Amino acid sequence: MDKATSEVEYEQMLLSRHGLLTRRKGRRVDGVMERSAYVLLSRIRVQGPMSIGELSDAFDLDASTLQRQTSAATRAGLVERIPDPAGGMARKFRITDEGARLLDEEREGMIRSLGRVMTDWPKEDISAFAHYLRRFNTDLERIDGRPWPRP
């Protein structure tokens, strides 16, 4: 096995355990919403209203899993069900004003956390890191056949 690829695997495993420093001793510090809601709202914000079927395809999750996530997000006032703007039969989920506000708050907390981690990094290193992460993610999306829309 390639040593560099092995190092990437190990570092990715370590990264996945951190939660971007939004937890400390089991409590959330900067974060205001669960990760699944954060990802769900981020996708709906970029793509626009989505049905359960579209969300299921986008996330490669069972419709029942998305039903639970969207039900929780609806109860929390983060999304609302609306008729399909294109006139289709399926109802779609749209981010609410409160959901957008909390998503922005969560994103700002994540950016603050990242800023604490990279406080001593030169801007060029941060840009290069962002470039490599985007490249890594888009290659994963290409292999999986599920591209993520980017703003």
Side-chain angles (χ1 to χ4, degrees), residues 6 11 27 33 38-39 42-44 49 61 72 77 80-82 101 103 107 112-113 121-122 125 133-134 139:
S6 179
E11 294 301 327
R27 292 192 336 262
M33 68 176 59
Y38 181 73
V39 175
S42 294
R43 180 66 185 246
I44 292 171
L61 294 172
E80 61 188 352
R81 291 189 74 161
I82 62 167
R101 185 188 70 73
L103 179 60
R107 183 159 284 131
R112 280 192 305 275
S113 291
W121 291 29
D125 286 359
L133 279 174
R134 182 179 303 114
D139 283 349

Side-chain angles (χ1 to χ4, degrees), residues 21-55:
L21 305 179
T22 58
R23 295 186 186 276
R24 192 166 288 136
K25 295 188 179 177
R27 292 192 336 262
R28 295 187 56 90
V29 177
D30 290 328
V32 295
M33 68 176 59
E34 292 298 318
R35 181 185 173 279
S36 61
Y38 181 73
V39 175
L40 176 76
L41 293 179
S42 294
R43 180 66 185 246
I44 292 171
R45 173 178 270 171
V46 172
Q47 190 164 338
M50 298 177 73
S51 68
I52 288 290
E54 291 167 331
L55 290 166

Side-chain angles (χ1 to χ4, degrees), residues 41-76:
L41 293 179
S42 294
R43 180 66 185 246
I44 292 171
R45 173 178 270 171
V46 172
Q47 190 164 338
M50 298 177 73
S51 68
I52 288 290
E54 291 167 331
L55 290 166
S56 179
D57 289 343
F59 292 113
D60 194 24
L61 294 172
D62 292 339
S64 61
T65 300
L66 269 306
Q67 286 282 5
R68 286 190 298 276
Q69 290 181 2
T70 55
S71 292
T74 300
R75 283 191 306 276

Side-chain angles (χ1 to χ4, degrees), residues 12-24:
Q12 187 278 331
M13 179 273 300
L14 291 174
L15 178 63
S16 69
R17 75 187 172 97
H18 289 292
L20 287 179
L21 305 179
T22 58
R23 295 186 186 276
R24 192 166 288 136

